[in-house]
Amino acid sequence: MTAVLRPAGIGFDPGTRTWILHTPNTTYAFRLAGGRPAHVYWGAALTDAEVTSLPVRAESGARQRGSTSFEAPYDGTEEYAWDGGVRYGVPSLQVRFADGTRGLDLDLVGDEVAGDTSMIRLRDRHYPLEVTLRHRLRAGTDVIERSVTLANLGDAEEIEVLRLDSAAWSLPHREDYRLSHVIGMWGAETQLRRETAPAGETVFTSRRGITSHHANPWVMVDDGSATEEHGEVWSAALAWSGSWRMTVQRTPLNRLAVTTGFGHDGISWRLAPGESLETPVSAGTYTTGGFGAASRAWHTYVRGHVLPRPEEERPILYNSWEATFFDIDAGRQAALASRAAELGVELFVVDDGWFRPYKDDRAGLGDWRINPDVFPEGLTPLIEHVHGLGMAFGIWVEPEMVNPDSDLYRSRPGWVLHQPHRARTELRNQLVLNFGRDDVRAWAFEWLNRLVAPGVAFLKWDMNRTFSEAGWPDAPDPERLWIEHTRGVHQVMDRLRARNPGLRVESCSGGGGRLDLAILARTDQVWASDNTDAADRLRIQHGYTQLYPPGTLEAWVTDSPNTVTGRRTPLAFRFHVAMTGVLGLGGDLAAWTEAEREEAAELVALYKRIRPLVQHGRQYRLRPPCADGLSAVQFADRDVVVFGFRETPRMGFGVPPLPLAGLPREARYRDTRTGAVHEAGVLTHHGLALDLPRGEYASAVVHLERLD
Ligand code: DGJ
C-alpha cells in the first residue's frame, strides 16, 4: 500500500506524545519522552504512522544508557537542550537562580497547536521559571521557524540568564558531516567555506554588536556528498542583527546539533520578577536538492515571509560615494544626477558628506545639519532637480553614530555606549549611540522623520564601527544593551516605515556588516560590500546568495581601475557582475567617455528587461567562481537569463557548452539578441554555447525568451 502523506500542517499524536510538522516536502517531529522534548525526525516527508514508529533518539541507545557513569545519553539529540541533570553538551538555555542553583528541571505544563504554530510550555519544578518553545510553519515553504520565551513568574528574585538560544537543530545520524558557512572581513564579506565538521564544538559568532563582516548567522550541513543540485542539505539561520552565536556540536558518537541565539559568550541578562524575554526567530529547512535547492528555498522564504515589499522591483540607483567621497558639492551632485538620468537611472542617492562641516569624517554625525557651504539653499533644489529628471531621491544616514566633535555629544555624553573608568575608544572618529535608550530612539526617529519628509524616497542606513566599552551604566541590567540596541534600531526603522509608507531602506554597515533575516524584515536591500571590484564581487555575491535572494543584493558599477583593489576590468564585465544582483551605478560619470556612456545606457536598458528574472526568478549557480576560470549563473522564471564570466583565459581551456537547469522539458526559447531558437532538452543535456570575448575579464549575457 502506498503511504499517504499529509498536507502541510502540524499534528499531535497523543499515543506517543509526538508533535509532527509537515511542510510541503519535508517532515519534522519531536516528542516528549521522560519529561524532555526529544528530537525525533527532520528530513524527507514521512507519514504520521512512519513518524510515530520511530524510536526516540538517544546516543546508541542501551549500549550507552546505564552502561557507564560517564556518558550523556541525550547530548546532540534534544529538541532544546537546557542545562541540568546529566547533560554535558552545549546548552541552548542556561540560567542561574538567586540562590546559586544553575540546573533546570522542567516539566510540561501546557501545549497548544494554533494554526501554523505549536507551543509547548515547560515550568521548573521548583523555581518560578517558565519556558515556551514555539515551532511555526511558513506557508508555501519548507522552512520551520522557532523561538523561545523565558518568563520569571516569581515576585521576589531575579533570574540570571546565561544563554537563551532560539533553537537547537538536531540532525539525523550520517556517516560524516560537512559545514557550509561564510567568513570575511571589510571588503571581502560572505566568502563561502565548505569544510568537514570537526568532532567537538565549532562556534560561529559576532561579538561586534552587528551581524558582522566576519561571519554570518547561518550554516548548511550535509554528509559530505551534496553538490549544487543533488543531495541532502539541512540549514539553519538566525534572524538577528546584533551579536550572535551559533555552535555546531559534533559528538564523539557522531551526532550533530546546532544551537543558535542572540548574544555571545560571557554576557548575561537579568530577568526581573514578572518579566519575560523573547528570542529572535531561528529558521531551518531541509532539502534533497543540494545547495542550489537549499538557497532557492531560502530565497522563496525571504521573499514570501521576510521582506516588507518583496513584490516590488528594486530601482536602478546611482550613488555618489565613489565619485566624490567626502568632497561633496551641490553643483557636482546635480551634474552627476543629470548624467545618471541620461543612462536610465531611476533613483539618485547622495552619500556621506552632505551634513559634514569638513571634507572628512571628523565631525557632523549627531548634529545632522545640512552644510550651508555645500548646500546654501538646503537640499530642496537638488531634490527638485532629481525629481525633474524623472528620478527618485535618496540620502545616506548613520543614525547610530556620533562624532565626539558635535553639539549632540557635548550636550549628551551619556547617550553613547560607555563603561565607568574606561576610555571611550573612537573608531573612525565616532562613538556608538545607545539605541536601547528611549530618548535616543525618540531623537533619532524625530530627525529622520523630518529628513525624509520633503520627498526622500530612500535611505541608506549605514553603521561604520563595531561596539567597544559596550556599557549602559545607569540601566538596571547594563548587558541588555546587546539586545536592546538591536531591537531599538529595528524599532526606529519600523516606525519610520510605518510613518512614511513610500520610504525604502538599504541596510549598510561599512558594506555588508549588517546582513541577516531580521534586517531584511525591515529593509529592501543590502549594500553587500564596499569592494566594488567586479572579480572580487563574483565571490562575495556567490556567498551572499547562498542564503539571501539576489533581489536584495545591491551592486554598483564603478570606475576602472577599482578604488579598493586597483584592478582594471572592462565596463561590460563590471556591468554583467552587477546585473546578477540589484544593478546600481557608482562611478564618476563625469569622467566616463561618450562610448562608455552609450554602452552603459544599453546595459541599463537590458537590465530593465531582465530585472524581473534576476530579482524575482529562481537562481541556479551553474558554475561557482572558485578558480579564475569560467563561472556562470542563471535566473529563470518563464524566460531565462544566463551570465557567463571568464576571469583569465588559458590556452587549451575553451568555453564548453553550459548545461542549463530547471527548464521545462517541452519549452523552446529564442535568444533575444541573435534570434537563435533553442530546445530546452538541448539546453539542459547538451548546453548553451557562450560567446565570450577574448582576453581577461570576459563576460556574456544571454536572454532567452520562451516561445510556447
Ligand atoms: C561605508 C559605506 O559602505 C560606503 O558605501 C559609504 O556610504 C561610506 N560608509 C560613507 O561613509
Side-chain angles (χ1 to χ4, degrees), residues 27-152:
T27 298
Y28 184 100
F30 61 96
R31 177 179 300 166
L32 215 67
R36 70 191 181 94
H39 184 73
V40 175
Y41 181 77
W42 188 18
L46 292 184
T47 65
D48 286 358
E50 287 166 338
V51 172
T52 50
S53 72
L54 291 172
V56 170
R57 288 172 32 192
E59 291 290 354
S60 306
R63 182 172 67 80
Q64 189 189 40
R65 207 176 307 160
S67 60
T68 82
S69 55
F70 296 101
E71 303 306 330
Y74 307 130
D75 285 356
T77 69
E78 294 194 283
E79 187 58 13
Y80 191 71
W82 53 78
D83 188 18
V86 191
R87 291 184 178 89
Y88 305 103
V90 193
S92 301
L93 172 61
Q94 201 169 29
V95 301
R96 183 161 35 218
F97 296 103
D99 62 3
T101 296
R102 289 176 65 125
L104 292 149
D105 183 9
L106 302 178
D107 192 23
L108 184 78
V109 290
D111 66 270
E112 188 189 342
V113 176
D116 61 5
T117 305
S118 77
M119 271 200 305
I120 64 172
R121 279 189 302 117
L122 304 141
R123 206 170 283 170
D124 194 275
R125 290 195 163 83
H126 176 78
Y127 296 95
L129 181 74
E130 188 171 280
V131 185
T132 305
L133 307 184
R134 264 180 306 276
H135 292 70
R136 183 179 188 197
L137 303 178
R138 299 317 309 259
T141 76
D142 290 321
V143 168
I144 294 167
E145 287 183 349
R146 296 177 56 185
S147 61
V148 175
T149 303
L150 198 63
N152 181 347

Side-chain angles (χ1 to χ4, degrees), residues 321 326 351-352 396 428 460 462 464 508 510-511 527 530 556:
W321 177 242
F326 291 108
D351 209 276
D352 196 350
W396 178 98
R428 212 198 191 220
K460 175 177 174 183
D462 203 348
N464 277 303
C508 172
W527 178 229
D530 275 347
W556 308 337

Side-chain angles (χ1 to χ4, degrees), residues 82 164 274 330 390 411 534 584 631 697 702:
W82 53 78
L164 172 59
S411 62
S631 66
Y697 304 111
V702 180

Side-chain angles (χ1 to χ4, degrees), residues 182-191 193 208 212-216:
V182 288
I183 61 164
M185 57 182 285
W186 176 87
E189 298 87 337
T190 52
Q191 306 290 314
R193 286 285 181 279
R208 291 172 155 84
S212 98
H213 302 74
H214 303 78
N216 200 267

Side-chain angles (χ1 to χ4, degrees), residues 232-403:
E232 290 186 297
V233 178
W234 291 261
S235 37
L238 180 72
W240 187 244
S241 319
S243 284
W244 56 274
R245 173 173 45 185
M246 184 173 266
T247 309
V248 182
Q249 176 186 207
R250 184 171 180 177
T251 72
L253 290 171
N254 209 28
R255 306 310 294 242
L256 188 131
V258 181
T259 181
T260 184
F262 55 5
H264 56 259
D265 54 319
I267 39 180
S268 64
W269 302 304
R270 293 187 216 140
L271 201 58
E275 206 190 353
S276 62
L277 193 54
E278 189 175 337
T279 70
V281 160
S282 172
T285 193
Y286 164 85
T287 179
T288 53
F291 299 109
S295 297
R296 287 187 290 280
W298 283 109
H299 299 171
T300 304
Y301 164 69
V302 172
R303 288 196 286 246
H305 298 283
V306 177
L307 288 169
R309 303 308 302 258
E311 74 291 356
E312 287 181 0
E313 287 182 8
R314 275 42 176 166
I316 300 171
L317 66 75
Y318 175 81
N319 180 297
S320 61
W321 177 242
E322 284 202 23
T324 66
F325 293 105
F326 291 108
D327 193 6
I328 205 164
D329 76 65
R332 196 160 166 210
Q333 291 289 316
L336 285 166
S338 301
R339 276 279 160 91
E342 282 161 23
L343 303 183
V345 167
E346 299 156 322
L347 166 67
F348 181 81
V349 183
V350 176
D351 209 276
D352 196 350
W354 57 270
F355 58 96
R356 302 268 192 193
Y358 320 115
K359 292 193 181 302
D360 57 29
D361 57 19
R362 279 176 296 150
L365 293 170
D367 291 345
W368 299 107
R369 281 191 292 265
I370 298 168
N371 183 345
D373 298 335
V374 174
F375 295 104
E377 295 161 68
L379 287 170
T380 308
L382 180 61
I383 297 178
E384 283 172 357
H385 174 68
V386 167
H387 287 169
L389 293 164
M391 295 185 292
F393 182 82
I395 200 159
W396 178 98
V397 290
E398 197 179 7
E400 295 150 84
M401 292 296 150
V402 65
N403 290 115

Side-chain angles (χ1 to χ4, degrees), residues 3-48:
V4 183
L5 297 174
R6 281 260 314 267
I10 304 181
F12 177 69
D13 177 62
T16 55
R17 306 185 82 191
T18 306
W19 284 265
I20 308 173
L21 287 74
H22 295 286
T23 72
N25 305 294
T26 74
T27 298
Y28 184 100
F30 61 96
R31 177 179 300 166
L32 215 67
R36 70 191 181 94
H39 184 73
V40 175
Y41 181 77
W42 188 18
L46 292 184
T47 65
D48 286 358

Side-chain angles (χ1 to χ4, degrees), residues 19 55 60 101 107 140 147 205 208 236 351 406 410 469 505-506 558 621 661 664:
W19 284 265
S60 306
T101 296
D107 192 23
S147 61
T205 190
R208 291 172 155 84
D351 209 276
S406 64
R410 281 183 282 272
E469 299 86 35
V505 182
E506 176 172 280
T558 55
R621 296 179 295 251

